[in-house]
Amino acid sequence: MSGIDGHQDADIDIGQLFAAVWQRRRRIVATTALSAVLAFGVSSLLTPDYKAETRILIEARGGVTGETGQGASEPVLDQLNIASQAQLLQSADLIRQIVRDLDLASRKEFDPEAYSLLPDPLALLRLKQNPLSLPAEDRIVKTFRDKLQVYPLEGSRVIAIEFSSQDPKLAADIPNRMADLYLSMQSGAKRDTHSQAAGWLEPEIATLRTRVADAEKKVADYRASAGLFQSSDNTSFTAQQLSGMSSELARVRGERANAQARAENVRAALQAGNGYDTLGDIVGSAMIQRLKESQSQVEGEIAQASIALLDGHPRLKALRAQLAGIRRQIETESRKILASLENEASVARLREQELMQQLSGLKAQSAQAGEEEVGLRALEREAAAERQLLETYLARYRAAASRVDGNSTPADARIVSTAMEPPEPYFPKVIPITIVIALASLLLQVIGIIVVALFSGRGLRPTESRLPAARPLQPAPAVAEPVVVLQEKTAGPVPIPAPLPELALSGLPSDGVQPSGLASVSDYLMRRRDALAVIVSPKGDDGSATTVSLARHLAGARRSVVLLDLSGTACATRLMAQSAQLPGITDLLCGAAAFGDTIHPDRLSGVHIIPAGNADPVEAMRAADRLGMIIDALAGAYEIVLVDCGATDMTMLERLTRASTAEVILSVANASADEIAAVSARYATAGYPDALVMMADPSDDPRRRGRDAA
């Protein structure tokens, strides 16, 4: 190295390095500028690629049969299932269908080999296979997969479909078409499954019906041949008779025991010679009761006669003889009762014996019936199994037949985000590429100059201390790298935003109407949550143009805004839509377009617009009752919904403002104070005293800006 002895220690001279770079500053700047110009030119010449994305949510969906959630036979929606669905979206069959539907074979972008004028050099040298030897459809599928990205979003059941193309419209159409075709294929697969199940079950059910009828006939024949008839409580006659006979035998035995006890009680009382008149069977006899009455009467007469007559008086003797006769009659009658009780006990005993004989016969019959019921139960089990299988097949057949219709078997997925036509390409980014190339060129030149300076020695300087000549040179100790401390700047006080200006509401016209500017109305709508504004333009297109400016002003404040063009002149559609032939609200009301197909981006801002459409307005107004549902759906998806009614009448305005949350705005651009007062008074009389009156600066007119830009 020049200037440095080989036995000297050297340090890096930062000043020399900066000087070396500074000396070549002109060349560095020129080279950097040339690199930037070349990068800008090359990136500008590259064909731009546009990318759009559609998102699909995988979820179990029920049909019109009312079933929701995952059934027993449905796959579990885990991460493996989500990844499998992502692979299905990249299947060759689906891609080939997209290629045929969109006629991608006619586009050079998807088959560049077929449109190339020069052959592939590597193919000529046999270093790779000639692409033209493959079928054209296979080449297109391969190119298609290179432009396609399908991946599940982490932590969710959402699958993203990204596609890049040189045509922005095609970049949005292909993911949307893939999502629609995927849903159709999933629904078709479910319908095919149910169709196959119904087709297989139908002959099986017919066979099972015959088998069930045969099994039940066998049960009936066996029951009739064995005499195993059933009663109303589903038990056999033998078992029912045996149960009744057992109950009757128990009752007869009780009666016999009761009669024997009563007879024994009466017999014991008669043998004792006293106390039998207290027995219930004797006292309860009518004859005994009459004899007792006669005995009491005679005893009374004896007692009365004993007072006046002596014991040997014939009267007393006659009464005593009569009393003895009554007592003998009572004893005789008691013995008759005893005989009656004994007869009753004897009859009960005979009845018991007869019942026991019948019970023995029934037991023998029941034992024989039990043996025969073994075969009957086997036949009944077989018939029940066949019947249960038939009912199961019938239930499955009805479920499968009800899902054969396309509307009853939706796919287990739905589109949550459709691809929109990208407004700008994702590649190449001309400005970032130019900046990166310029910085890379600058850094490479600076690094090259520094490396050359270090190796040539011009960027080094000897150290001040020298080692003794007699001692060998030792390696210098490692020098710690300098540490650079970055000091953070303290944040200053955050300015408090000024309060939004107060809006002047057009209340009473007599007080003098103070119209609000476009910025004031915009601030008022942004302060509201889920704002819905119905804008009337009494002066026609001038007010509609102010409405367009209001929508773009709100979108510039990072609000999601949609504008619904219900004016008769379609001024907003002409100012915002890419084409006047786009489907719009009239097509939606007539059923000629889907809801998602009528929403389009503004060509100059982030506002979405639903144009006036191409269908017959008279036919569309027949379905005007659906406007409320459409506006409610838009209010659920956007922060601010603007409905441009143009110079509408009060009837349409009343239909649109049925909801109490709707704001009525009178767009009176280029109107005098008297005109504003008259309009405000007319709408206040019609029931809108709180309507906002909005005026715009002529510089905010989008038509004028469009002309100035032109």
Side-chain angles (χ1 to χ4, degrees):
M1 292 180 292
S2 62
I4 301 294
D5 189 357
H7 298 286
Q8 280 185 303
D9 291 336
D11 291 336
I12 296 176
D13 192 347
I14 303 298
Q16 289 294 331
L17 295 180
F18 276 108
V21 173
W22 181 254
Q23 289 175 0
R24 296 167 178 81
R25 63 185 182 277
R26 294 183 180 178
R27 188 180 66 184
I28 293 174
V29 172
T31 306
T32 302
L34 180 61
S35 300
V37 171
L38 290 176
F40 182 84
V42 172
S43 59
S44 300
L45 294 176
L46 292 176
T47 303
D49 285 340
Y50 298 84
K51 181 181 289 187
E53 179 188 77
T54 298
R55 294 188 176 186
I56 299 176
L57 173 63
I58 307 298
E59 62 177 0
R61 301 180 65 193
V64 297
T65 57
E67 298 181 0
T68 58
Q70 297 176 0
S73 60
E74 298 294 334
V76 180
L77 295 180
D78 56 2
Q79 292 301 322
L80 292 178
N81 184 267
I82 304 302
S84 301
Q85 299 304 315
Q87 293 299 319
L88 287 177
L89 282 165
Q90 304 177 65
S91 64
D93 293 339
L94 190 145
I95 294 176
R96 287 190 176 94
Q97 185 65 36
I98 296 294
V99 169
R100 288 190 291 268
D101 292 346
L102 299 180
D103 192 19
L104 300 183
S106 62
R107 292 177 177 265
K108 179 181 178 181
E109 175 186 1
F110 293 90
D111 194 6
E113 291 84 3
Y115 292 89
S116 177
L117 299 178
L118 298 177
D120 191 349
L122 296 178
L124 292 177
L125 297 175
R126 299 184 182 274
L127 297 178
K128 74 171 186 178
Q129 183 182 6
N130 188 2
L132 296 177
S133 62
L134 297 175
E137 192 173 17
D138 292 345
R139 296 196 304 270
I140 295 173
V141 169
K142 181 181 178 182
T143 307
F144 191 98
R145 283 179 171 170
D146 293 339
K147 296 175 174 292
L148 177 66
Q149 287 186 354
V150 179
Y151 56 91
L153 300 182
E154 186 177 358
S156 68
R157 293 177 178 173
V158 176
I159 297 177
I161 306 173
E162 287 187 355
F163 192 84
S164 61
S165 174
Q166 299 173 3
D167 185 358
K169 186 177 184 304
L170 189 64
D173 290 344
I174 287 181
N176 292 334
R177 179 59 181 165
M178 288 186 67
D180 294 338
L181 190 57
Y182 167 76
L183 296 181
S184 177
M185 291 175 60
Q186 290 292 88
S187 179
K190 293 176 68 175
R191 287 199 306 272
D192 292 342
T193 301
H194 298 317
S195 224
Q196 293 174 2
W200 180 83
L201 286 171
E202 190 169 0
E204 291 293 325
I205 289 173
T207 304
L208 275 176
R209 290 182 191 274
T210 305
R211 288 164 55 183
V212 169
D214 294 341
E216 291 180 348
K217 186 176 183 302
K218 288 180 181 179
V219 171
D221 293 343
Y222 187 87
R223 190 188 301 276
S225 62
L228 300 175
F229 300 104
Q230 290 183 339
S231 60
S232 59
D233 56 353
N234 202 21
T235 58
S236 63
F237 286 157
T238 303
Q240 187 177 12
Q241 290 177 359
L242 187 61
S243 176
M245 191 69 67
S246 299
S247 301
E248 183 67 17
L249 179 59
R251 186 185 65 79
V252 170
R253 283 178 176 176
E255 291 178 355
R256 177 185 59 78
N258 186 24
Q260 286 180 351
R262 289 161 58 194
E264 191 66 29
N265 193 13
V266 172
R267 185 184 297 108
L270 290 176
Q271 289 177 357
N274 55 7
Y276 58 84
D277 57 346
T278 61
L279 299 176
D281 293 322
I282 296 176
V283 174
S285 175
M287 180 61 72
I288 296 296
Q289 290 177 1
R290 288 195 296 271
L291 291 174
K292 284 290 186 180
E293 291 176 0
S294 300
Q295 181 183 2
S296 298
Q297 185 178 1
V298 171
E299 286 177 351
E301 290 178 356
I302 291 174
Q304 187 176 4
S306 298
I307 297 173
L309 301 175
L310 297 175
D311 290 338
H313 194 277
R315 174 66 177 165
L316 286 176
K317 291 181 179 180
L319 289 175
R320 288 191 181 100
Q322 185 179 357
L323 180 60
I326 292 173
R327 287 177 177 173
R328 285 193 298 273
Q329 289 179 3
I330 291 175
E331 184 178 358
T332 301
E333 190 65 30
S334 297
R335 291 188 181 280
K336 290 180 180 180
I337 293 174
L338 175 60
S340 175
L341 292 175
E342 289 177 348
N343 290 333
E344 185 178 348
S346 177
V347 171
R349 190 179 300 110
L350 293 175
R351 177 64 177 161
E352 180 184 359
Q353 294 176 358
E354 183 181 357
L355 287 175
M356 289 182 66
Q357 293 176 359
Q358 294 180 1
L359 186 61
S360 299
L362 285 175
K363 286 182 179 179
Q365 294 179 6
S366 179
Q368 183 179 0
E371 295 177 358
E372 294 176 347
E373 283 182 353
V374 173
L376 178 63
R377 283 194 293 270
L379 293 175
E380 287 179 342
R381 283 195 299 271
E382 183 179 355
E386 297 288 351
R387 188 182 304 109
Q388 184 178 4
L389 183 60
L390 175 61
E391 291 175 355
T392 303
Y393 278 15
L394 283 173
R396 292 183 179 178
Y397 176 77
R398 286 192 292 267
S402 65
R403 298 177 183 176
V404 172
D405 186 18
N407 295 327
S408 64
T409 54
D412 290 336
R414 61 186 179 91
I415 300 175
V416 296
S417 176
T418 57
M420 306 295 292
E421 185 175 341
E424 58 183 21
Y426 85 98
F427 179 84
K429 301 291 185 181
V430 178
I431 301 301
I433 290 176
T434 302
I435 294 175
V436 169
I437 295 297
L439 291 177
S441 174
L442 176 63
L443 290 176
L444 289 176
Q445 292 182 79
V446 171
I447 292 173
I449 293 172
I450 292 175
V451 169
V452 171
L454 290 176
F455 278 93
S456 63
R458 289 191 297 273
L460 300 176
R461 59 182 174 83
T463 57
E464 296 179 358
S465 60
R466 296 177 177 268
L467 295 175
R471 297 179 59 186
L473 185 63
Q474 301 291 334
V479 180
E481 295 181 358
V483 179
V484 181
V485 179
L486 299 179
Q487 183 178 4
E488 294 182 356
K489 295 182 180 180
T490 58
V494 179
I496 301 176
L500 295 173
E502 285 291 321
L503 292 179
L505 301 180
S506 59
L508 297 175
S510 59
D511 296 337
V513 180
Q514 298 178 358
S516 302
L518 186 145
S520 298
V521 176
S522 175
D523 293 340
Y524 174 73
L525 293 178
M526 286 190 292
R527 286 200 300 268
R528 295 197 51 181
R529 186 175 183 180
D530 299 331
L532 169 61
V534 178
I535 304 176
V536 182
S537 304
K539 299 195 69 175
D541 288 351
D542 292 338
S544 297
T546 305
T547 303
V548 173
S549 299
L550 174 62
R552 290 173 176 172
H553 190 277
L554 292 170
R558 299 183 182 275
R559 294 296 193 274
S560 60
V561 186
V562 62
L563 191 147
L564 177 59
D565 189 359
L566 294 180
S567 64
T569 60
C571 176
T573 300
R574 295 194 306 270
L575 293 176
M576 302 177 69
Q578 299 287 345
S579 172
Q581 302 302 320
L582 294 176
I585 184 63
T586 56
D587 303 286
L588 179 60
L589 293 176
C590 293
F595 189 55
D597 297 335
T598 60
I599 302 176
H600 308 280
D602 179 19
R603 55 190 178 88
L604 297 180
S605 69
V607 182
H608 286 177
I609 180 174
I610 299 182
N614 306 311
D616 185 10
V618 177
E619 183 179 356
M621 287 307 296
R622 297 174 183 172
D625 294 334
R626 296 171 54 193
L627 282 174
M629 294 186 293
I630 295 172
I631 293 175
D632 291 341
L634 293 174
Y638 294 85
E639 293 177 281
I640 300 175
V641 179
L642 303 179
V643 182
D644 183 15
C645 298
T648 185
D649 56 356
M650 296 297 178
T651 304
M652 178 59 71
L653 184 61
E654 182 181 358
R655 180 178 299 175
L656 293 175
T657 57
R658 289 177 181 175
S660 59
T661 58
E663 287 287 345
V664 177
I665 300 177
L666 305 178
S667 180
V668 288
N670 303 324
S672 62
D674 295 337
E675 291 176 344
I676 294 174
V679 170
S680 179
R682 186 169 70 254
Y683 278 88
T685 305
Y688 302 98
D690 297 330
L692 299 177
V693 178
M694 178 179 65
M695 292 189 66
D697 189 7
S699 61
D700 291 333
D701 192 340
R703 298 171 296 181
R704 178 178 179 181
R705 289 203 303 270
R707 289 192 298 268
D708 294 342

